């Protein structure tokens, strides 16, 4: 029989152990080894049995043991020290508190969060990144308020059938058995938010709070009695269901998330967010809710839009259009129209925000969540330099007339939270030998002074730990697939703690090419079975439950790894989660990544491996394209120009095999007289010292604070001043500039000052005649674009100089002048353009308006001498 309801009965702690509950409820334990040691001491056997889950530990430990601990003075001293350390961590000023003008609070919205394996609310990189974002914010004192959804079945647990096919299981999660606290009103009743649905229905949700160090994470839960059956299931599982279900989740995350923040701040007194950061388009509806709030406070839609945009940051993680959420426009119209319409926000305006711009792939019947997110945010970024460029190309249609490089999408390269992902032995060595590195993340050059013997001993220990755990998981998986214990003797010797170990773990969409390594099975077997330089590969990954193609890729890997000839050298470990991920990035000597360039937005797993002394073997995509320097790993050559995908895979796989055989394995097994791989360890040291300061989530958070959060707060504050008077004026100016722009033209451009033979160092004098139409010189900026030109007279990475307004005629013509330096030799060109200008704009491209000469002007295709 099955239970009709599941809940967790928590233990009642003796008074002397009350602080233990405080420690359990703050997820700082997930990256604080000393607290984990304390939990392990409560009952070592139970601690192992519950897979290091502190909440489960307190639910399983015997009352007699708790009474014994309550009398143990040594344990109580350790408990008091740990509790004091947590309180000091939560209250002491940190980096952020030394800043001037930074926002008092930032709302951070994400559909998933990877905080700890004990809180399974993530599916892959997006969630892990969000978790690391919150943890780094906690460490730096950044006042972020996280917002997400609480999925009662999480993502899914993965196992394999006898044939190697992925099977999904959705275990029920009881919030009472998770490190969560239900947000309650002053009278003790659960706090609720509500969202109107078509047909006079209402979606209700309660709010669970996960304390991530200093950062509160609000998780909305629709499984409440007030909801009908369909509404209760909105938060049943991550990325489950069809389009209607997904839309309900995103409404709850965006609209409900803003309402939950308002409730939380009212109840707790926490400052209201000045900046709202949406991590991918799933939470884009948060902008609509904030517009609704302001329009009900007597702003017009246009005025509210400007006020909301100023304080919104949008981060895109998607390098392919297929990865973006797109809903039928009629579905959005049904949600926000008819009997469920918002009185102050017309459904037509909402549909305009998500309409795809004109272009090859534009679809007027579709509502694009990323497009809406970008139109609602004044600041947009990708997650690596290359991804920023890819995003500018993808979304160029939103800013017609501007070159790709001027599209206002920047980039902040992701980082990883070292305490969560770096092996304890590595952290302890750094703490002992390089204390400034741990305390202040400074002094990375000191890595060169570390003992190579110490580094190799740690690397060997971490590799052996991975092998030990992999053997357990291999046996468990084979048993689940129907094998008997008598058939599994070989698993006790699977993998070799001394062999070169390559890790490969990620989600399994086709572009990540899980099976590229199988392109030539015979050659792969030769590498695995080399008698002198054996290679072993440990693989993990989940395919989306609806992705049949991804499941087939997993099956291909599993069938290859099942072969008796190689099963001791290659293993697929099911149920990839944070715990397994940590084992893999700490224990692998090499981290392999072979996506189809440039479709990897960032790919942070390789960063985690690098911080543990692993070396990357990767296609130059995402972060690796940016920070590969020739000595911190190996770049797999990418056959970018090859159109045939099978031929491209064949070429890149051959290059991968060559690198492993001729460079990676040779260097790993090249041992000095003392048994150390000196050349390998030189690369490890260089990797740690060169990549260490770059790949940290702390660096990433500082970049967000300085480059995005603080400017956004400043802009939002400026527009909100004097009861939003600046927002009113800015919105009115935008409307006026947009209506008048067709009358703006570049009528004439002439140049002088360089003679018949332009020479390096000369100065080109520019004079431009501009028809201003109904605008004044203060409403626009006239710029000369100049620099190197290509074969078709296109300007390549031009420099821009603002021309000065000399005079304006009564007929509305302005005369502008400027001087351009001829500061480089070769083909040179220039042109003149006009863009809108207002002090509250964040970018010249913000309005998507530009005026250029009807015919190209000023091209000088001679050689500057």
């Amino acid at each position: 029989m099955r239970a009709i309801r599941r809940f967790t009965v928590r233990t009642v702690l003796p008074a002397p152990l009350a602080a233990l509950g405080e420690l359990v409820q703050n997820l700082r334990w997930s990256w604080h080894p000393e607290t984990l040691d304390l939990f392990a001491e409560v009952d070592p056997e139970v601690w192992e049995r519950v897979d290091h889950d502190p909440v489960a530990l307190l639910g399983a430990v015997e009352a007699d043991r708790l009474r014994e601990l309550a009398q143990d003075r040594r344990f109580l001293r350790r408990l008091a020290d740990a509790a004091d350390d947590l309180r000091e961590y939560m209250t002491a000023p940190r980096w952020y508190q030394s800043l001037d003008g930074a926002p008092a609070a930032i709302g951070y919205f994400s559909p998933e969060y990877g905080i700890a394996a004990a809180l399974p609310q993530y599916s892959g990189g997006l969630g892990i990144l969000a978790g690391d974002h919150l943890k780094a914010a906690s460490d730096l004192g950044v006042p972020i308020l996280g917002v997400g959804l609480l999925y009662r079945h999480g993502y899914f647990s993965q196992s394999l059938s006898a044939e190697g096919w992925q099977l999904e299981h959705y275990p029920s999660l009881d919030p009472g058995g998770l490190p969560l606290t239900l947000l309650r009103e002053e009278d003790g009743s659960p706090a609720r938010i509500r969202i109107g649905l078509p047909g006079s229905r209402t979606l209700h949700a309660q709010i669970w709070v996960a304390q991530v160090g200093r950062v509160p994470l609000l998780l909305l839960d629709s499984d409440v009695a007030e909801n009908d059956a369909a509404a209760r299931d909105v938060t049943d599982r991550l990325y489950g269901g069809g389009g209607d279900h997904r839309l309900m989740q995103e409404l709850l995350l965006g609209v409900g998330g803003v309402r939950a923040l308002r409730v939380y701040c009212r109840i707790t007194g926490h400052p209201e967010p000045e900046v709202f950061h949406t991590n991918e388009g799933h939470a884009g509806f948060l902008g609509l809710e904030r517009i609704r709030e302001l329009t009900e406070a007597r702003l017009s839609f246009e005025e509210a839009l400007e006020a909301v945009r100023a304080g919104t940051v949008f981060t895109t993680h998607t390098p392919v259009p297929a990865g973006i959420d797109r809903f039928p426009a009629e579905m959005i119209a049904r949600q926000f129209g008819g009997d469920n319409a918002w009185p102050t926000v017309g459904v037509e305006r909402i549909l305009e925000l998500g309409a795809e711009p004109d272009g090859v792939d534009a679809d007027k019947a579709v509502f694009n969540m990323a497009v809406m997110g970008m139109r609602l945010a004044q600041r947009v970024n990708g997650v690596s330099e290359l991804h920023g460029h890819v995003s500018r190309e993808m979304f160029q249609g939103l800013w017609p007339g501007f070159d790709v490089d001027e599209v206002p999408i920047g980039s902040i390269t992701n980082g990883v939270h070292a305490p969560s992902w770096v092996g304890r032995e590595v952290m302890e060595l750094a703490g002992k030998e390089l204390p400034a590195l741990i305390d202040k993340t400074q002094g990375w050059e000191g890595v060169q002074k570390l003992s190579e013997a110490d580094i190799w001993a740690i690397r060997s220990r971490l590799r052996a730990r991975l092998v030990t755990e992999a053997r357990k998981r291999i046996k468990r998986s084979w048993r689940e697939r129907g094998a008997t214990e008598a058939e599994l003797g070989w698993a006790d010797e699977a993998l070799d703690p001394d062999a070169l170990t390559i890790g490969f773990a990620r989600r399994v969409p086709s572009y990540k090419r899980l099976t590229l390594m199988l392109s030539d099975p015979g050659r792969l077997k030769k590498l695995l079975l080399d008698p002198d330089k054996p290679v072993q590969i440990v693989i993990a990954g989940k395919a989306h439950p609806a992705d049949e193609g991804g499941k087939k890729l997993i099956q291909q890997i599993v069938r290859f790894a099942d072969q008796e000839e190689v099963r001791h050298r290659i293993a697929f470990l099911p149920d990839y989660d944070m715990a397994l991920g940590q084992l893999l990035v700490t224990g692998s000597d090499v981290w392999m990544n072979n996506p189809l360039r440039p479709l990897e937005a960032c790919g942070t797993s390789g960063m985690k491996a690098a911080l543990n002394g692993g070396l990357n073997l990767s296609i130059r995509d995402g972060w690796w394209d940016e920070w590969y320097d020739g000595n911190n790993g190996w770049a797999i050559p990418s056959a970018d120009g090859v159109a045939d995908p099978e031929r491209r895979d064949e070429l890149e796989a051959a290059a991968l095999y060559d690198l492993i055989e001729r460079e990676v394995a040779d260097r790993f097994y090249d041992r000095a007289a003392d048994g150390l791989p000196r050349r390998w360890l030189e690369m490890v040291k260089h990797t740690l010292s060169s990549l260490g300061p770059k790949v940290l989530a702390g660096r990433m958070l500082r970049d967000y604070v300085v480059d995005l959060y603080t400017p956004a707060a400043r802009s939002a504050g400026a527009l909100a001043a004097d009861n939003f008077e600046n927002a009113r004026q800015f919105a009115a100016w935008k409307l006026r500039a947009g209506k008048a722009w067709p009358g703006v033209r570049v009528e004439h451009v002439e140049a002088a000052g360089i003679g018949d033979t332009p020479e390096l160092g000369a100065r080109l004098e520019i004079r431009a005649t501009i028809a201003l139409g109904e605008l004044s010189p203060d409403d626009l900026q006239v710029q000369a674009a100049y620099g190197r030109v290509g074969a078709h007279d296109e300007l390549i990475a031009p420099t821009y100089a603002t021309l000065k307004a000399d005079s304006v005629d009564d007929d509305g013509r302005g005369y502008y002048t400027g001087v351009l330096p001829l500061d480089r030799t070769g083909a040179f060109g220039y042109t003149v353009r006009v863009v809108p200008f207002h002090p509250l704009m964040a970018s010249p491209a913000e309005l998507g308006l530009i005026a250029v000469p009807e015919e190209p002007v000023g091209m000088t295709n001679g050689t500057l001498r």
Side-chain angles (χ1 to χ4, degrees):
M1 290 187 295
R2 297 186 64 184
I4 61 172
R5 186 182 172 204
R6 175 195 181 102
F7 56 89
T8 299
V9 179
R10 294 194 181 186
T11 188
V12 177
L13 291 171
L17 300 181
L20 199 56
E22 180 184 342
L23 293 173
V24 167
Q25 286 300 111
N26 192 310
L27 282 153
R28 186 210 184 196
W29 56 255
S30 66
W31 71 91
H32 193 247
E34 291 78 9
T35 304
L36 292 174
D37 288 346
L38 185 71
F39 293 153
E41 192 173 338
V42 169
D43 191 319
E45 183 180 338
V46 173
W47 180 241
E48 293 302 320
R49 192 169 72 237
V50 299
D51 292 327
H52 298 185
D53 179 341
V55 179
L57 171 72
L58 293 191
V61 68
E62 295 291 340
D64 287 346
R65 175 58 180 163
L66 292 176
R67 284 191 290 270
E68 180 183 333
L69 289 172
Q71 302 298 319
D72 186 335
R73 285 185 291 179
R74 188 186 65 83
F75 180 83
L76 293 177
R77 282 196 300 271
R78 290 191 61 196
L79 175 59
D81 289 344
D84 288 344
D85 181 76
L86 176 62
R87 292 174 193 131
E88 193 275 337
Y89 173 85
M90 295 288 287
T91 56
R94 303 183 93 72
W95 170 79
Y96 191 86
Q97 283 64 51
S98 68
L99 303 180
D100 292 325
I106 301 114
Y108 180 86
F109 290 63
S110 178
E112 52 174 300
Y113 289 90
I115 308 293
L119 188 64
Q121 302 290 306
Y122 58 91
S123 72
L126 180 71
I128 299 301
L129 180 278
D132 282 9
H133 199 102
L134 297 195
K135 292 174 184 178
S138 175
D139 290 344
L140 294 175
V142 181
I144 279 179
L145 284 162
V147 180
L149 303 181
L150 179 67
Y151 304 99
R152 290 297 182 115
H153 297 282
Y155 188 41
F156 68 88
S157 296
Q158 177 197 52
S159 64
L160 300 174
S161 72
E163 295 75 28
W165 191 256
Q166 172 180 292
L167 303 175
E168 298 93 28
H169 314 276
Y170 292 90
S172 295
L173 300 175
D174 170 30
L178 300 174
L180 302 173
T181 302
L182 188 63
L183 183 65
R184 295 184 181 276
E185 297 285 358
E186 189 174 346
D187 64 3
S189 63
R192 293 279 199 272
I193 62 94
R194 297 162 185 81
I195 300 174
L197 301 178
S200 300
R201 295 172 62 229
T202 301
L203 174 62
H204 303 260
Q206 59 190 359
I207 305 160
W208 295 91
V209 182
Q211 195 64 40
V212 186
R214 298 164 70 116
V215 173
L217 169 59
L218 314 184
L219 299 174
L220 280 72
D221 173 18
S222 69
D223 188 12
V224 295
E226 295 93 329
N227 283 330
D228 58 32
R232 292 186 74 152
D233 284 345
V234 166
T235 55
D236 61 346
R237 61 184 62 174
L238 177 59
Y239 302 143
D244 282 311
H245 188 261
R246 190 71 166 262
L247 177 60
M248 289 300 101
Q249 288 189 336
E250 299 190 3
L251 281 168
L252 184 57
L253 176 60
V255 175
V258 173
R259 295 177 185 179
L261 278 178
R262 304 303 186 207
V263 171
Y264 179 84
C265 292
R266 171 178 58 79
I267 291 173
T268 65
H270 194 288
E272 293 275 356
E274 298 174 36
V275 174
F276 289 75
H277 182 180
T278 174
N279 190 36
E280 203 35 273
H282 311 284
F285 290 124
L286 71 86
L288 296 185
E289 170 64 8
R290 294 173 60 219
I291 288 174
R292 183 198 63 78
E293 291 177 330
L294 292 174
T295 55
E296 291 185 356
R298 305 297 177 85
L299 292 187
S300 71
F301 180 90
E302 289 77 15
E303 294 162 354
L305 173 62
E306 296 310 321
V308 166
R309 288 185 73 253
T312 302
V313 173
F314 179 87
T315 298
T316 174
H317 295 258
T318 308
V320 288
I324 295 170
D325 278 345
R326 300 162 85 229
F327 297 105
E330 58 86 16
M331 185 185 292
I332 303 297
R334 187 168 63 250
Q335 170 60 38
F336 291 102
D339 66 348
N340 197 48
W342 288 352
T344 59
V345 183
V347 67
E348 298 81 10
R349 304 307 304 269
I350 294 173
L351 291 173
E352 287 173 4
L353 289 170
E356 296 183 336
D358 291 335
V360 176
D361 298 323
D363 186 343
K364 298 303 181 185
V366 161
F367 188 92
N368 186 305
M369 293 296 290
V371 166
M372 178 186 67
M374 292 184 184
R375 287 186 173 132
L376 288 172
Q378 195 174 45
R379 289 164 179 81
V380 182
N381 70 287
V383 291
S384 68
E385 285 186 359
L386 179 59
H387 179 237
H389 177 75
V390 169
S391 299
R392 288 189 286 274
E393 289 183 332
M394 278 179 63
F395 296 104
Q396 187 178 11
L398 287 170
W399 295 274
F402 288 87
D403 292 340
V404 168
D405 290 342
E406 289 186 276
V407 169
I409 300 177
S411 64
I412 290 180
T413 303
N414 284 343
V416 299
H417 186 246
S420 294
W421 298 106
V422 176
R424 186 166 182 175
E425 294 87 345
V426 179
M427 295 292 283
E428 288 174 350
L429 177 64
K432 177 184 175 183
E433 302 293 338
L434 306 168
L437 194 153
I438 299 298
D439 297 337
K440 302 178 181 179
T441 65
Q442 298 174 352
W444 285 92
E445 65 281 355
V447 167
Q448 297 297 334
K449 301 175 183 177
L450 293 177
S451 159
E452 292 182 348
D454 287 345
I455 294 174
W456 186 242
I458 289 173
R459 290 295 320 141
S460 298
R461 198 174 310 142
L462 294 174
R463 188 188 318 111
R465 184 177 301 151
L466 170 59
V467 167
T468 298
E469 180 61 26
R471 288 171 178 172
K472 294 178 184 176
R473 289 174 178 254
I474 289 169
K475 293 186 75 170
R476 186 188 313 146
S477 177
W478 276 72
R479 283 195 298 266
E480 290 172 351
R481 295 171 64 193
T484 64
E485 198 66 33
E487 299 174 87
L488 293 177
W490 63 271
D492 292 328
E493 302 298 325
L495 305 176
D496 182 343
D498 295 318
L500 170 61
T501 302
I502 297 177
F504 186 100
R506 53 200 17 91
R507 290 184 304 110
V508 191
S510 58
Y511 76 86
K512 291 183 182 284
R513 298 193 296 184
L514 172 68
T515 56
L516 186 70
M517 66 183 80
L518 300 184
S519 296
D520 185 342
R523 190 162 183 194
L524 177 58
K525 286 183 179 180
K526 183 180 177 183
L527 290 171
L528 297 173
L529 302 175
D530 188 298
D532 300 315
K533 298 179 294 182
V535 173
Q536 59 192 18
I537 307 177
V538 185
I539 306 162
K542 291 180 176 180
H544 187 280
D547 183 4
E548 296 295 305
K551 293 180 184 181
K552 288 179 181 177
L553 297 179
I554 290 175
Q555 186 178 48
Q556 290 173 33
I557 282 285
V558 172
R559 285 180 169 173
F560 181 88
D562 280 352
Q563 296 177 60
E564 185 175 354
E565 185 182 6
V566 296
R567 64 190 183 188
H568 64 298
R569 285 280 183 258
I570 183 169
F572 180 88
L573 306 182
D575 211 18
Y576 180 37
D577 63 1
M578 289 184 70
L580 178 54
Q582 214 260 0
L583 274 167
L584 285 164
V585 296
T586 55
S588 298
D589 299 296
V590 173
W591 196 258
M592 188 165 69
N593 190 24
N594 44 236
L596 195 64
R597 189 179 189 273
L599 302 184
E600 180 85 277
C602 185
T604 56
S605 295
M607 296 179 175
K608 299 163 190 167
L611 285 173
N612 282 287
L615 302 178
N616 277 267
L617 171 64
S618 177
I619 293 284
R620 290 194 62 168
D621 202 359
W623 76 276
W624 188 237
D625 180 71
E626 194 172 331
W627 290 331
Y628 168 69
D629 66 8
N631 295 308
N632 54 7
W634 295 270
I636 304 168
S638 180
D640 288 353
V642 178
D644 179 358
E646 291 186 4
R647 177 61 177 158
R648 178 171 180 171
D649 285 355
E650 180 184 329
L651 291 171
E652 295 183 5
L656 172 63
Y657 297 140
D658 284 344
L659 280 170
I660 294 173
E661 181 179 13
R662 300 174 185 173
E663 296 192 34
V664 180
D666 275 354
R667 186 167 292 229
F668 182 85
Y669 288 106
D670 178 16
R671 305 297 167 90
D674 57 6
L676 297 178
R678 297 283 181 182
R679 292 194 304 139
W680 183 273
L681 290 168
E682 285 175 9
M683 289 184 71
V684 169
K685 284 186 173 184
H686 175 71
T687 293
L688 288 167
S689 59
S690 64
L691 291 180
K694 297 176 181 177
V695 303
L696 295 178
R699 184 273 313 155
M700 174 187 72
L701 248 295
R702 287 183 175 93
D703 289 348
Y704 272 104
V705 168
V706 173
D707 298 339
L708 294 178
Y709 294 161
T710 301
R714 196 177 299 126
S715 295
L719 266 70
D722 299 324
N723 196 27
F724 292 96
E725 182 58 29
N726 284 337
R728 293 183 173 92
Q729 292 184 11
F730 190 33
W733 174 84
K734 274 194 171 183
L735 288 173
R736 180 169 62 85
K739 289 178 180 177
W741 200 255
V744 178
R745 297 186 305 278
V746 180
E747 291 194 339
H748 182 69
V749 180
E750 57 187 57
I754 59 174
D756 296 330
T757 308
E759 294 186 348
L760 185 67
R763 293 161 62 84
L764 181 69
E765 299 171 3
I766 296 288
R767 180 177 174 84
T769 303
I770 308 297
L772 302 179
E774 298 179 10
L775 298 179
S776 74
D778 291 338
D779 293 325
L780 47 78
Q781 201 169 69
V782 180
Q783 299 174 331
Y786 64 96
R788 185 164 58 95
V789 292
H792 302 288
D793 286 346
E794 72 277 10
L795 285 165
I796 300 172
T799 301
Y800 296 91
T802 301
L803 303 185
K804 177 185 176 185
D806 285 347
S807 61
V808 179
D809 287 347
D810 292 339
D811 62 359
R813 284 181 172 81
Y815 300 92
Y816 290 77
T817 60
V819 177
L820 309 183
L822 304 187
D823 54 3
R824 62 175 307 280
T825 59
F828 183 92
Y830 68 90
T831 191
V832 170
R833 70 178 191 179
V834 188
V835 293
F837 174 78
H838 191 284
L840 292 172
M841 289 172 57
S843 158
E846 184 168 325
L847 275 66
L849 299 175
I850 189 170
V852 296
E854 293 185 4
E855 297 293 333
V857 299
M859 295 300 176
T860 304
N861 286 320
T863 300
L864 302 183
R865 295 178 293 177

